[in-house]
Amino acid sequence: MPRPDERPSFEPFPLEPGKTYGLMAVVPARTPACETRTEEQVQAWPAALVRELLLFVVTILVLSLAALLFDAPLEGLANPLHPPNPAKAPWYFLGLQELVSYSAFWGGVGIPAIMLLVAAAAPYMEWRPGGEGVWFHKSRSAANWIFLTVVGCLGFLTVVGTFFRGENWALVMPW
Amino acid sequence: MSVRKVPTPSGTDSTRAGLGPTMRTLPRRLWRSIFRSNPLPRNELERSQAVANNFFFHIPSAKVHEHTLRPATTFGLGLISLYTFIILCVSGVLLMFYYVPTPEQAYDRMLDLRGAVFFGTFLRNLHRWAAHAMVAVVFLHMMRVFLTGAHKPPREFNWLVGLGLLVLTLAASFTGYLLPWDQLAYWAIVVGTSIAGYAPLVGDEIRFFLLGDDVVGREALLRFYVLHCVVLPLFISALVGLHFWRIRKDGGLARPGRD
């Protein structure tokens, strides 16, 4: 119980000793906001499961359509005596093959190993909370820019290796 | 748990009567032995049970956050990766019925698929395009996770599992690339495996271990076949299970304003 001289000068009603007083407010909402996290949850059945099933159907349809419209490549029987020029790795390794054309060790071993190690270390370096679940969160712009730069370089090298490399790995125009 | 009561064989008059009641209650008892809760739920409790009591649904939680369901949260890329993997397993097993991993027969079997096997071309096309799609979608999924900060604690270990899955996906695609045994396949693997030879000190040993020989030939085809059809899919399945289980254990998908 505070001393009389510490009391506020304005009292809307006489305060009773032995009781605690809180300030309440009326807000426009459908339910008491005591546990909001629960209110933002929905039943996985059917909300999530129906969406997941639909996505499966769409994936099957798109791939089936591709399989009906486009034939997988099949060249002549493998002949170890007649290498094509240029011989190219699968498309997802063409960025690395492009690097290999500059330096065999760095392109084939060094840079891929470093990229994997840095990727593995990323969440342990960037460990402070903030920006989770938000696309391009401002607080993470540095990390995102580094990541996008690496991805951009790899994408650029892959495009060059796929479309702009001809005989003897010389730079050619694809048209 | 709402396990409904079913007639038990012990002590009731109806069971003493013999075969009749046993057969009459059999369908119901069989059904209850498989489904402990209503597979077509009618209320909130049964909807929760439908997820929690189902082996195939038990990894996702009975309730999900609205943020998780928004298409722009993930674009469904992780699920599409899983779906392409399932499509690859099914179409791959069907292709295994026709394929023989020897240099003499492999290419002929490709021609058979095109000319003699019912829906063979479709099967091979589907497997091929699904494989390319899986590599691309797994990579896009990784980009999504990083750009939404979903790899940060407490999900950092699941990011490592995902990196493992990326490497396994590339390995599965690469080993499958050799199997048609045409010029495209052969020389892509010659180029790809020669890269392994550039590793310092042990490069040649790694390459020999992969190929079972100094050149891409009979042994390499058999090794890539076994890796592609057995070893890598098993490892991928195990890691996918761990990956999904960790999503749940790490509190569902990353969302803003939670921690």
Side-chain angles (χ1 to χ4, degrees), chain B residues 7 38 46 88 187 194 204 211 242:
Chain B
N38 189 356
E46 288 185 359
L88 284 165
W187 289 99
S194 71
D204 287 334
L211 298 181
L242 177 59

Side-chain angles (χ1 to χ4, degrees), chain B residues 107-215:
Chain B
Y107 185 73
D108 283 348
R109 293 293 173 141
M110 290 298 114
L111 298 180
D112 282 354
L113 275 176
R114 202 157 62 176
V117 176
F118 188 61
F119 271 106
T121 306
F122 175 79
L123 208 54
R124 191 169 106 79
N125 291 352
L126 182 65
H127 197 74
R128 184 93 175 190
W129 301 137
H132 285 318
M134 186 175 169
V135 172
V137 172
V138 163
F139 193 74
L140 290 175
H141 171 60
M142 181 189 176
M143 287 181 67
R144 190 288 290 176
V145 168
F146 191 93
L147 295 174
T148 57
H151 62 310
K152 296 174 69 174
R155 299 178 180 82
E156 63 269 54
F157 178 68
N158 221 8
W159 170 261
L160 295 186
V161 176
L163 274 183
L165 280 167
L166 172 71
V167 172
L168 286 175
T169 302
L170 291 175
S173 177
F174 186 67
T175 49
Y177 212 84
L178 180 64
L179 303 188
W181 204 250
D182 63 343
Q183 280 286 78
L184 184 69
Y186 184 87
W187 289 99
I189 301 313
V190 170
V191 169
T193 51
S194 71
I195 291 177
Y198 299 138
L201 304 174
V202 290
D204 287 334
E205 280 76 7
I206 292 175
R207 191 167 173 278
F208 190 89
F209 183 70
L210 278 174
L211 298 181
D213 200 346
D214 289 323
V215 294

Side-chain angles (χ1 to χ4, degrees), chain A residues 30 36-49 51-57 59-84 86-94 96-97 100 103-110 112 115-124 126-137 139-140 142-148 150-152 154-155 169, chain B residues 39-41 43-45 47-48 50-51 57 60-67 69-70 72-77 79-80 83-84 86-87 103 107-108 110-111 114 119 121-122 124-126 128-130 132-133 135-136 139 142-153 155-157 159-160 163 166-167 169-175 177 180-189 191-192 195-200 216 254-259:
Chain A
R30 283 177 299 164
T36 49
R37 199 179 295 167
T38 312
E39 298 301 321
E40 289 164 6
Q41 309 243 340
V42 291
Q43 289 280 347
W45 178 293
L49 293 178
R51 283 168 170 81
E52 289 166 5
L53 186 68
L54 267 179
L55 191 60
F56 192 28
V57 172
T59 308
I60 289 178
L61 281 180
V62 169
L63 287 173
S64 299
L65 202 64
L68 285 173
L69 292 177
F70 307 105
D71 277 344
L74 186 66
E75 295 182 358
L77 175 66
N79 186 344
L81 301 176
H82 284 96
K88 288 189 178 183
W91 63 270
Y92 39 84
F93 285 149
L94 280 181
L96 296 184
Q97 194 179 352
V100 165
S103 161
F105 169 74
W106 284 109
V109 183
M115 282 200 301
L116 269 182
L117 283 177
V118 170
Y124 296 93
E126 198 193 355
W127 57 277
R128 289 182 183 82
E132 292 94 340
V134 181
W135 283 91
F136 305 107
H137 195 268
S139 66
R140 301 191 53 249
N144 282 339
W145 272 115
I146 295 170
F147 181 77
L148 283 176
V150 174
V151 170
L154 202 58
W169 213 248
Chain B
L40 292 172
N43 55 44
E44 297 269 298
L45 176 65
R47 275 191 271 275
S48 297
V51 173
F57 297 156
S61 50
K63 285 193 164 195
V64 291
H65 198 272
E66 284 174 357
H67 181 77
L69 292 180
R70 277 176 219 144
T73 302
T74 63
F75 295 110
L77 290 166
L79 272 178
I80 298 176
Y83 294 156
T84 52
I86 292 171
I87 293 169
Y107 185 73
D108 283 348
M110 290 298 114
L111 298 180
R114 202 157 62 176
F119 271 106
T121 306
F122 175 79
R124 191 169 106 79
N125 291 352
L126 182 65
R128 184 93 175 190
W129 301 137
H132 285 318
V135 172
F139 193 74
M142 181 189 176
M143 287 181 67
R144 190 288 290 176
V145 168
F146 191 93
L147 295 174
T148 57
H151 62 310
K152 296 174 69 174
R155 299 178 180 82
E156 63 269 54
F157 178 68
W159 170 261
L160 295 186
L163 274 183
L166 172 71
V167 172
T169 302
L170 291 175
S173 177
F174 186 67
T175 49
Y177 212 84
W181 204 250
D182 63 343
Q183 280 286 78
L184 184 69
Y186 184 87
W187 289 99
I189 301 313
V191 169
I195 291 177
Y198 299 138
V216 178
R255 58 176 183 269
R258 185 166 183 273
D259 302 313

